[in-house]
Amino acid sequence: APPPPPAAPAPLKRQGTWSSMMDEWRTKGAHESATECNAFVLSLVATLPPDARAVPEPTATGKALYDWLTVKVKENMFQRRKKKFPSCEVAVLAVALKHSGLWREARAASEALAGGAAPASVPASPAMVVLWKRVRGVREAIDMAMKKLAHGEMPDDGVDADSGDEDGEGGA
């Protein structure tokens, strides 16, 4: 007899808030191989209460990694003059490190920095450099949204507020 068809995958659970994502990472069982990764990623940002409506502030470890990557990945003059959003960038960095698998390199760098190494002396892999450049792109998105809001415009998120349709045509 042929083997039975594979079971359907469980539906994806949508995360409602930053706090719910943090809670999920914290409640992962010790049996999971990702526990060490989760512990490191969670050490980059401050814990927020469940009803928080803000981006978590970076911890000392998160700030050290931010400073390290800022030194390792040079910005041109135009980029250096742009407004920076460290709390948002470190929060995005934490997620990117977890999902890219580069958290071990970041942990080793943070340990070296905590041991007194200068940020310029701690090496960064080419993959880490690319990851940081992508994370740094958050600055432009936030800056553009802030400029639109300052001019009385709403940032375009692709969803029509009245109908919930992405194409704005109102459905069926």
Side-chain angles (χ1 to χ4, degrees):
L12 294 176
K13 181 178 164 187
R14 183 175 178 167
Q15 299 297 327
T17 64
W18 172 261
S19 296
S20 64
M21 182 171 63
M22 301 281 279
D23 288 342
E24 183 178 323
W25 285 352
R26 282 192 183 88
T27 57
K28 296 259 185 214
H31 65 280
E32 292 190 23
S33 62
T35 302
E36 196 176 350
C37 170
N38 291 339
F40 174 71
V41 168
L42 289 170
S43 76
L44 299 179
V45 293
T47 303
L48 291 175
D51 60 342
R53 296 187 180 262
V55 177
E57 288 297 317
T59 60
T61 304
K63 289 176 186 173
L65 281 178
Y66 181 87
D67 294 341
W68 169 61
L69 289 166
T70 302
V71 167
K72 295 309 283 184
V73 182
K74 302 293 183 208
E75 297 177 318
N76 62 37
M77 186 175 67
F78 179 71
Q79 290 171 327
R80 281 192 305 261
R81 292 174 42 186
K82 283 188 166 272
K83 185 169 180 163
K84 294 172 178 50
F85 306 94
S87 57
C88 292
E89 292 173 52
V90 172
V92 173
L93 175 66
V95 173
L97 287 171
K98 177 180 173 68
H99 292 287
S100 68
L102 291 173
W103 66 271
R104 286 184 181 89
E105 179 182 349
R107 183 181 62 187
S110 70
E111 290 169 355
L113 294 166
S121 68
V122 180
S125 70
M128 184 65 77
V129 170
V130 169
L131 179 95
W132 181 244
K133 286 180 179 179
R134 296 288 186 196
V135 168
R136 216 172 45 195
V138 169
R139 288 181 195 167
E140 278 190 47
I142 294 171
D143 194 36
M144 286 179 16
M146 287 176 63
K147 285 178 182 173
K148 284 185 176 185
L149 287 171
H151 286 81
E153 302 173 27
M154 288 301 292
D156 181 19
D157 61 1
V159 177
D160 181 17
D162 294 333
S163 67
D165 251 6
E166 288 199 27
D167 62 6
E169 295 192 14

